[in-house]
Amino acid sequence: EVQLVESGGGLVQPGGSLRLSCAASGFTFSSYLMHWVRQVPGNGLLWVSRINSDGSSTAYADSVKGRFTISRDNAENTLYLQMNSLRVEDTAVYYCAKVGATLDVWGKGTAVIVSS
Amino acid sequence: DIVMTQSPDSLAVSLGERATINCKSSQSVLYRSNNKNYLAWYQQKPGQPPKLLIYWASTRESGVPDRFSGSGSGTDFTLTISSLQAEDVAVYYCQQYQTTPLTFGGGTTVEIK
């Protein structure tokens, strides 16, 4: 079964850091582009970042550029999102997603709360 | 960035009736070199992640019931639920994946009348 499991979310103060992880199983992780998407509960979906299959190419939403870093460890089948200089407006559920034609498999998400 | 605009924001449909959701992109998501529309539809139920229903504007994801269909090209797209079932109550999102940043519509809430 294809599965993505996020972890690493939690409560952090403004200006703090968190590293999210996304453990992949059931497919050849190293062959697929991966994305992070976030959602404020009750609100819509906002794309955050993507990384290509070997990690050589990344892209970010303007709102997180310079603060967030996406990476992957294909040997460990794990996707990461390093989040620095966190702001209150980064509060959301963060999903990782695998790309087929588009985002065809999503994890259940991990909640990030930025608050003092 | 490509802006995706959905309508209506919400709709209430009787069981067994048709539900229609519209999505408009601020620029064409048709890639002429392969004649494919880079447009997807997702369903999201409370407490769950989004689930891919339709990609390439009209291709149903494996396991998705055939009452769900997608149509349209260029900048105007439609998701149709031909005969609404109770389990279809959810928020539906369109998304373009032609260019980064990927962008989503604001969502349409489908309820039972």
Side-chain angles (χ1 to χ4, degrees), chain A:
Chain A
E1 179 194 4
V2 175
Q3 195 170 13
L4 298 170
V5 179
E6 302 93 338
S7 60
L11 175 63
V12 61
Q13 292 189 333
S17 297
L18 278 177
R19 188 174 85 154
L20 306 185
S21 299
C22 169
S25 60
F27 66 102
T28 306
F29 178 71
S30 60
S31 296
Y32 291 90
L33 275 73
M34 297 292 295
H35 291 250
W36 288 97
V37 175
R38 69 186 183 187
Q39 184 175 36
V40 176
N43 283 27
L45 298 161
L46 184 68
W47 175 80
V48 174
S49 183
R50 71 111 175 105
I51 188 168
N52 70 344
S53 58
D54 66 5
S56 62
S57 174
T58 59
Y60 299 91
D62 287 345
S63 58
V64 307
K65 202 172 294 183
R67 300 187 298 122
F68 290 12
T69 302
I70 190 172
S71 63
R72 64 192 297 160
D73 184 338
N74 284 344
E76 295 293 329
N77 294 332
T78 303
L79 175 73
Y80 300 102
L81 187 68
Q82 177 67 43
M83 304 188 297
N84 298 331
S85 303
L86 281 161
R87 304 169 180 167
V88 170
E89 54 265 34
D90 294 320
T91 294
V93 174
Y94 285 73
Y95 297 102
C96 62
K98 164 190 166 290
V99 174
T102 184
L103 309 175
D104 61 353
V105 178
W106 297 59
K108 288 182 168 35
T110 187
V112 172
I113 302 170
V114 185
S115 175
S116 54

Side-chain angles (χ1 to χ4, degrees), chain B:
Chain B
D1 297 2
I2 298 177
V3 177
M4 308 300 291
T5 304
Q6 284 183 236
S7 62
D9 292 336
S10 64
L11 74 162
V13 176
S14 300
L15 287 172
E17 296 300 305
R18 179 183 301 259
T20 301
I21 302 169
N22 300 301
C23 175
K24 189 173 184 67
S25 57
S26 61
Q27 60 194 75
S28 176
V29 298
L30 173 63
Y31 194 47
R32 296 213 177 269
S33 65
N34 60 9
N35 200 37
K36 287 183 180 290
N37 288 282
Y38 285 61
L39 189 285
W41 290 96
Y42 297 87
Q43 175 194 65
Q44 187 177 32
K45 298 180 179 179
Q48 297 184 18
K51 174 188 173 185
L52 178 64
L53 297 177
I54 303 282
Y55 57 97
W56 302 132
S58 60
T59 301
R60 206 176 298 116
E61 175 74 333
S62 175
V64 173
D66 60 8
R67 64 180 180 272
F68 292 93
S69 63
S71 63
S73 184
T75 61
D76 292 278
F77 300 91
T78 300
L79 175 70
T80 301
I81 310 172
S82 61
S83 176
L84 191 75
Q85 304 300 302
E87 61 265 32
D88 301 334
V89 170
V91 180
Y92 293 83
Y93 296 95
C94 62
Q95 175 232 337
Q96 67 79 22
Y97 51 102
Q98 187 197 55
T99 64
T100 302
L102 306 185
T103 47
F104 295 85
T108 296
T109 302
V110 174
E111 302 169 320
I112 305 295
K113 186 187 292 183

